[in-house]
Amino acid sequence: LDAYRTRNQFQGRLITEGTPRIDYQFATDAVRSRVRRRLAAQGIHLSAGKRVVLYAPTWRGDFDRPALDVEPLREIVRAIARQEPAGRSRVLVKVHQRVYPLAAQDPELRRVLVPDGVPANNILSVTDVLITDYSSIFVDFLVSGRPVLFHVPDLADYTASRGLDLPADQWPG
């Protein structure tokens, strides 16, 4: 009420609750099982006991004409997989909906690509480690208390072309 200067304007009762996007990450086991079944139905199988490492980069290019250089994306996925002990983790990629149609055309990425129809916060409910770049998805994931890693090899270029809402030296993770 004070933050939005509404104390003297709003006379009703205020209910303090979470937000649907973020609350979904604190899903019950039944809901997480539903997310896993939905992924499995689309060819993304998550084995019990395996850690889920999600790489979720933002889009590049113009909003009307998003760019996707598939080879660097493949290389990042391969590099993440090499860092994980064999058989311990499952690496997945959730690209921005603007570039999904481009990424879905690549046979290698399709094996790890979270379908566009699965909302980001649904996949975050089964994610153990998030790797991202400039995407605001990290803000939602922070409340989980699970690790957030940033991969920003093009920091200077991205900052010059699109800018940052928060300077990189203030990022958590």
Side-chain angles (χ1 to χ4, degrees):
L1 293 174
D2 293 329
Y4 293 100
R5 298 183 190 133
T6 59
R7 187 166 298 282
N8 295 324
Q9 296 172 14
F10 177 72
Q11 302 303 314
R13 191 170 143 216
L14 185 65
I15 298 173
T16 304
E17 275 298 319
T19 62
R21 283 174 40 142
I22 293 173
D23 288 352
Y24 207 96
Q25 293 173 63
F26 298 99
T28 63
D29 288 340
V31 171
R32 281 192 296 274
S33 290
R34 249 192 334 267
V35 171
R36 289 172 178 269
R37 283 192 308 273
R38 184 175 182 188
L39 291 168
Q42 301 205 22
I44 304 289
H45 300 279
L46 303 178
S47 302
K50 276 194 179 185
R51 180 168 74 162
V52 175
V53 178
L54 179 68
Y55 177 52
T58 195
W59 58 276
R60 303 294 196 282
D62 296 325
F63 193 74
D64 292 331
R65 285 185 310 278
L68 177 65
D69 193 349
V70 173
E71 188 54 37
L73 184 56
R74 274 194 230 119
E75 282 303 316
I76 292 167
V77 171
R78 289 175 192 149
I80 294 168
R82 281 193 303 270
Q83 296 300 312
E84 292 297 314
R88 183 172 168 217
S89 300
R90 176 74 154 99
V91 177
L92 299 178
V93 177
K94 176 70 170 160
V95 296
H96 193 277
Q97 65 268 18
R98 301 290 296 162
V99 298
Y100 180 82
L102 302 170
Q105 294 174 20
D106 184 76
E108 186 174 339
L109 289 178
R110 270 197 303 266
R111 297 181 303 105
V112 297
L113 190 62
V114 174
D116 201 30
V118 176
N121 288 83
N122 288 22
I123 192 66
L124 290 180
S125 74
V126 297
T127 296
D128 297 297
V129 177
L130 174 66
I131 302 172
T132 190
D133 49 14
Y134 317 100
S135 175
S136 62
I137 196 171
F138 86 86
V139 175
D140 290 351
F141 195 67
L142 282 177
V143 299
S144 74
R146 295 180 296 246
V148 177
L149 305 170
F150 293 92
H151 177 68
V152 291
D154 59 345
L155 180 61
D157 291 339
Y158 188 91
T159 302
S161 67
R162 300 248 316 258
L164 299 174
D165 291 332
L166 185 65
D169 64 353
Q170 293 180 26
W171 294 350

